[in-house]
Amino acid sequence: MLRDLRVSCAPHISEPLSTRRAMIDVIIGLAPAMAAAGYYFRIYALILISTCCLSAVATEWLCNLIRKNPNSTGDFSAVVTGIILALSVPPALPVWAAIIGSVFAIAIGKMVFGGLGANIFNPAMVGRAFLTASLGMLMTTWTVPATIDRSMPVISAENKIDARTQATPLAWSKEAIKTKKGADHVNEQLEAMFKGEVGGCLGETSALALLIGGAYLLIRRTIRPHIPLAVIISASAFAGIMYLINRDAYISPLSHLYSGGLLIGAFFIATDPVTAPLTIKGRWIFGIGVGMITMLIRIFGEYPEGVMYSVLLMNSVTPLIDRFCKLVPAGGKPNA
C-alpha cells in the first residue's frame, strides 16, 4: 500500500488539472502576445521565441540526463519558461544572448533546485536578470515596430535583421520625472500602447493581447484573480497618487499599466504556482508587494522598469508569507 503513496514538490492542485494541461493553457494564453510580437516585430519574434524555447527544452533534457532523472520536458514547463523569457527581452537581442539566457534560466533558475516545484525563483526572471546584469547595452536597445518602420523585414528566409531604435514609454517617463515636464508626451501614446505600436520588449508592448491572454487563463481557472488584481490595483493606486501630485512629471496610472511588463508580470509571471504563496491572503500580500516595488523602482529608482526585480524580491519572501498565512488544516484553527 505504501508503494501507492507519492511524495512530490508543489504545485499541488486539487482540481483535475495536470501540470501539463496547466502549461498548455499558459502557452495558449500567451498566444495573443506572441501573435502581436510577430505582427509588430516580424522576424525578430520568430527567431527569439523559437531560440529560447529550443534552448530551454534542450537544457532541461540535458540536466535530467546528467542527473539521471526521468525526462521532464513533456510537461511543457520549459517551453513556458522559454516563451516568457523571449517575450521579456528586446526584439533585436542576438541569438547567442537568447541561448545564454535560456540556459541560465533552466539550469540555474530551475534544475539546480531539483526541477519544477522545487525552484524558489521564477526561472524566466532569473534568466532575464542574468542577461540584464551581463549585457546591459543589448538589454536596453529597443526596436521600432514594423508598422512604423516600413523598412522592417517581414518573416521570410530572405530577410536581413536590420532595424532602427526607439525609446520606450517608460524611458520617456523616466526623463519626464527627471526634468519635471513632458509626461503628456507619454500619456498621448495611450492608444498606441494599448495596441502595441511602441518600442519595448518583444511581448510586452500590446496591452490588448496580454489582457486577452490573461482573461483566457482566468476563465479556464488556470490562475486565480487575487495576484493579478493585487498587482494592478496597488500599482495603479501608487501611480494615481503621484499623478495627482504632479501631472507634468508623472504619467497617468493607465499609461503605467499599458507600458513595460506590468500586465505580463501580473497575469503570467507573478501567478507562477510554484513561486507564489499558497493562501488567498498570501497571494494578496504577494501581489501588492509586486505592484508597489515595481512602482517604487519606476518612479524613484534609476531603472525605468521594475517588474523583474519586484517578482524576484517577492519570490524570496514567499516562504515567509506562507509561514505568516498558514493554510488551515481540516478541523484546525488558522495560524495554530
Side-chain angles (χ1 to χ4, degrees):
M1 180 178 178
L2 289 177
R3 281 181 294 183
D4 296 331
L5 298 177
R6 182 179 177 184
V7 179
S8 64
C9 300
H12 299 134
I13 302 174
S14 59
E15 298 176 3
L17 180 66
S18 65
T19 301
R20 179 189 174 95
R21 181 65 249 179
M23 294 301 163
I24 292 175
D25 272 347
V26 175
I27 293 171
I28 295 173
L30 287 167
M34 288 189 280
Y39 178 71
Y40 287 112
F41 299 107
R42 308 298 167 90
I43 196 168
Y44 297 107
L46 183 65
I47 291 173
L48 281 181
I49 293 173
S50 58
T51 298
C52 289
C53 287
L54 290 173
S55 303
V57 171
T59 303
E60 183 161 321
W61 176 82
L62 184 60
C63 289
N64 282 323
L65 185 67
I66 293 172
R67 299 184 62 197
K68 298 180 180 178
N69 286 339
N71 181 20
S72 58
T73 55
D75 62 16
F76 291 117
S77 61
V79 176
V80 170
T81 298
I83 294 174
I84 292 178
L85 178 63
L87 296 182
S88 62
V89 298
L93 188 73
V95 170
W96 59 266
I99 294 174
I100 290 174
S102 303
V103 171
F104 195 89
I106 296 295
I108 306 301
K110 179 179 177 182
M111 300 309 290
V112 294
F113 293 99
L116 181 65
N119 54 294
I120 59 175
F121 296 105
N122 184 289
M125 292 300 97
V126 171
R128 191 183 191 281
F130 178 74
L131 290 175
T132 302
S134 307
L135 308 168
M137 184 63 73
L138 290 176
M139 290 294 290
T140 53
T141 300
W142 312 104
T143 305
V144 179
T147 50
I148 297 175
D149 183 359
R150 299 296 180 187
S151 65
M152 174 76 74
V154 295
I155 299 175
S156 70
E158 293 78 21
N159 292 324
K160 297 178 181 179
I161 299 177
D162 186 21
R164 293 183 303 178
T165 59
Q166 179 194 46
T168 66
L170 288 180
W172 276 317
S173 169
K174 184 62 70 177
E175 183 65 23
I177 293 173
K178 290 180 180 177
T179 60
K180 303 298 181 187
K181 61 181 181 180
D184 287 347
H185 182 62
V186 180
N187 296 330
E188 291 168 357
Q189 302 180 56
L190 207 56
E191 183 181 348
M193 287 189 284
F194 183 71
K195 294 189 298 184
E197 202 171 37
V198 292
C201 292
L202 190 66
E204 297 179 353
T205 59
S206 176
L208 174 62
L210 293 168
L211 288 171
I212 292 173
Y216 171 79
L217 294 184
L218 290 171
I219 292 171
R220 288 279 300 168
R221 297 176 66 85
T222 305
I223 63 172
R224 302 298 186 188
H226 314 103
I227 291 178
L229 281 176
V231 173
I232 291 171
I233 292 173
S234 60
S236 298
F238 197 125
I241 293 172
M242 300 307 296
Y243 182 63
L244 291 176
I245 292 174
N246 189 339
R247 298 189 179 193
D248 293 325
Y250 302 106
I251 63 176
S252 69
L254 211 51
S255 296
H256 269 294
L257 193 63
Y258 289 172
S259 59
L262 198 56
L263 288 179
I264 193 173
F267 288 109
F268 297 96
I269 300 174
T271 51
D272 178 4
V274 175
T275 56
L278 298 173
T279 63
I280 293 177
K281 182 180 178 181
R283 291 170 190 161
W284 278 105
I285 295 172
F286 181 87
I288 291 172
V290 170
M292 297 294 283
I293 294 173
T294 297
M295 296 312 302
L296 281 171
I297 294 174
R298 283 187 177 186
I299 292 177
F300 298 108
E302 287 297 321
Y303 196 60
E305 176 59 294
V307 172
M308 173 186 71
Y309 296 113
S310 65
V311 170
L312 292 175
L313 284 171
M314 291 309 296
N315 284 162
S316 69
V317 298
T318 292
L320 290 176
I321 296 174
D322 280 335
R323 187 180 178 86
F324 176 70
C325 308
K326 292 181 179 177
L327 285 170
V328 181
K333 297 179 180 178
N335 297 323

